[in-house]
Amino acid sequence: MNTIGFLSFEPWYILEETPIAKDILFFDRLIFSSASIESADLICSNLPLRPCDKNLVKRKLEEIEKYMNAGLIFDYSANDFKKDYAIFHSIDEAKELGQYMFNSDFDNPYLDKNNPKDNLFGSLSSLREIVELKSRIFSIINNSKSSDLYIPIIREKYKKTLITEKLDISDVVGVVLKKFPIIKEDISVENIIEFKIDPDTKIKLSRLRNWITEISKTSMSVKEMEEKLEYLLLEYSNHMNLHRIEYHIGNFETLVTASLSFIENIAKLKLSKASKVIFDLNRTELRLLKAENDAPGKEVAFINKLNEIAINNSN
């Protein structure tokens, strides 16, 4: 089963500095509504943007195309939705969200309609909420017809309503993604794929996803989720730092002692004792792996690994 993130494309997201690589590293693939990105691109092209912001829009769209060509992002078109219209009408949750979207007045009552800036802000905010609702609806539809898990990526709810105030798995994913380090947008697709297929990455990511599923079933608030995640990250980091120090000291001691013993036993042709020296070196490596497997907070070790890679790539 693949875990697929449904991107919510709207002007604020397109104008964000955050590269899509962060989402790619958590999800197996990403999907987006081509209608939403066309609307967002159209609005951005008509906004009074600074040259640097216009360049940001261009870079974001180029990044999307790069990952689409690699098969890591694909689109859900208006034609796809037409084919799934019967499914949409057969699911109460999807119909309820759709009815809310069609009947709602997305105007913010606190904005002054006579103020051009407020009008512009209101329009962008309305689009943001509509795109969020569409992402939820399209995720529900795809979950009903696929064995894969589709999760809408909601970075920040525009405003709470009776229909969206209930916490769900997308809230936990949003909390977790905020803790991911910034990955440079010029990172190669090959490096991303290499990282994703690494066996150690796979087990760490699997644990993180399992933790997200379990947390989403609780009655925790977003604030409590953030505090829990922070606690687990500190627990894991502290535990592994102590064991890495022990590992490096133990490895050095073993290496020095072993080297002398190895030379002595080879000279005396005591091959079984010489072989034991090599196994002693491997045991120190195994102890570190066991410490990592038993570490408190291992559920969020994937984030710790991402942080280490981000630091190394920035040097």
Side-chain angles (χ1 to χ4, degrees):
M1 180 183 76
N2 292 309
T3 302
I4 300 173
F6 211 112
L7 283 168
S8 299
F9 272 117
E10 33 83 14
W12 268 305
Y13 176 60
I14 289 184
L15 292 170
E16 272 185 0
E17 289 283 356
T18 307
I20 295 173
K22 180 186 285 193
D23 298 325
I24 290 284
L25 287 169
F26 177 78
F27 292 99
D28 295 307
R29 285 182 293 167
L30 299 176
I31 184 172
F32 67 92
S33 163
S34 51
S36 295
I37 197 170
E38 286 167 9
S39 299
D41 185 27
L42 178 63
I43 291 174
C44 285
S45 65
N46 287 287
L47 288 175
L49 300 176
R50 299 169 301 172
C52 61
D53 291 328
K54 288 184 178 180
N55 185 50
L56 184 58
V57 174
K58 180 183 176 184
R59 281 179 10 229
K60 182 73 66 126
L61 294 176
E62 287 175 348
E63 191 183 10
I64 293 164
E65 185 178 4
K66 176 177 77 171
Y67 290 119
M68 285 188 75
N69 291 337
L72 293 172
I73 297 182
F74 58 104
D75 72 319
Y76 183 74
S77 67
N79 284 332
D80 290 326
F81 179 62
K82 285 179 183 177
K83 292 175 186 176
D84 293 336
Y85 205 62
I87 298 175
F88 165 67
H89 273 287
S90 68
I91 303 172
D92 289 340
E93 187 182 1
K95 278 197 300 183
E96 187 181 6
L97 287 169
Q99 198 65 43
Y100 173 81
M101 185 171 66
F102 295 135
N103 295 339
S104 291
D105 178 5
F106 291 100
D107 284 343
N108 188 328
Y110 300 102
L111 299 179
D112 179 5
K113 292 186 177 182
N114 295 320
N115 184 324
K117 287 186 178 179
D118 273 8
N119 261 327
L120 177 60
F121 179 80
S123 298
L124 294 177
S125 298
S126 296
L127 180 60
R128 186 178 205 175
E129 189 175 6
I130 291 168
V131 168
E132 175 188 327
L133 288 164
K134 281 185 176 180
S135 293
R136 292 183 183 279
I137 292 169
F138 296 157
S139 293
I140 292 168
I141 291 171
N142 281 282
N143 277 324
S144 72
K145 66 175 188 175
S146 171
S147 58
D148 293 328
L149 174 62
Y150 289 78
I151 300 174
I153 303 173
I154 312 298
R155 283 172 177 75
E156 194 168 337
K157 291 179 179 177
Y158 164 55
K159 63 182 181 183
K160 284 189 177 181
T161 65
L162 290 175
I163 212 84
T164 61
E165 67 181 1
K166 179 183 172 186
L167 294 176
D168 57 23
I169 194 168
S170 65
D171 291 288
V172 193
V173 170
V175 167
V176 168
L177 288 178
K178 283 181 181 178
K179 297 301 293 184
F180 278 26
I182 299 298
I183 307 296
K184 292 181 179 178
E185 67 181 47
D186 60 355
I187 186 172
S188 71
V189 173
E190 291 73 23
N191 284 345
I192 292 243
I193 293 174
E194 184 181 352
F195 177 80
K196 287 168 74 71
I197 64 175
D198 175 62
D200 182 64
T201 297
K202 285 185 174 182
I203 186 64
K204 284 183 169 68
L205 181 54
S206 180
R207 284 175 181 155
L208 178 60
R209 287 175 177 170
N210 182 65
W211 180 80
I212 286 172
T213 301
E214 293 303 313
I215 289 294
S216 69
K217 295 175 183 176
T218 69
S219 57
M220 280 189 186
S221 67
V222 169
K223 195 68 179 174
E224 289 170 330
M225 291 176 195
E226 290 172 343
E227 289 176 354
K228 179 70 173 177
L229 179 60
E230 191 66 37
Y231 169 75
L232 289 175
L233 284 169
L234 288 172
E235 278 274 278
Y236 179 80
S237 181
N238 184 58
H239 179 87
M240 291 310 299
N241 284 340
L242 289 172
H243 278 276
R244 283 193 185 100
I245 292 170
E246 290 177 356
Y247 165 76
H248 288 305
I249 293 173
N251 212 28
F252 179 73
E253 289 177 343
T254 302
L255 186 62
V256 172
T257 306
S259 298
L260 295 174
S261 178
F262 186 82
I263 294 169
E264 180 184 359
N265 286 313
I266 284 292
K268 296 179 180 178
L269 295 178
K270 295 181 180 180
L271 299 181
S272 61
K273 288 186 178 181
S275 299
K276 181 179 178 297
V277 168
I278 298 171
F279 288 124
D280 284 341
L281 287 169
N282 289 332
R283 284 194 188 97
T284 59
E285 193 84 36
L286 286 172
R287 280 198 293 272
L288 182 63
L289 290 174
K290 187 176 185 306
E292 184 174 355
N293 196 54
D294 296 337
K298 66 181 180 182
E299 299 90 346
V300 298
F302 179 79
I303 301 176
N304 188 275
K305 182 173 183 176
L306 278 182
N307 284 325
E308 291 176 356
I309 289 171
I311 291 170
N312 290 335
N313 287 342
S314 64
N315 293 334

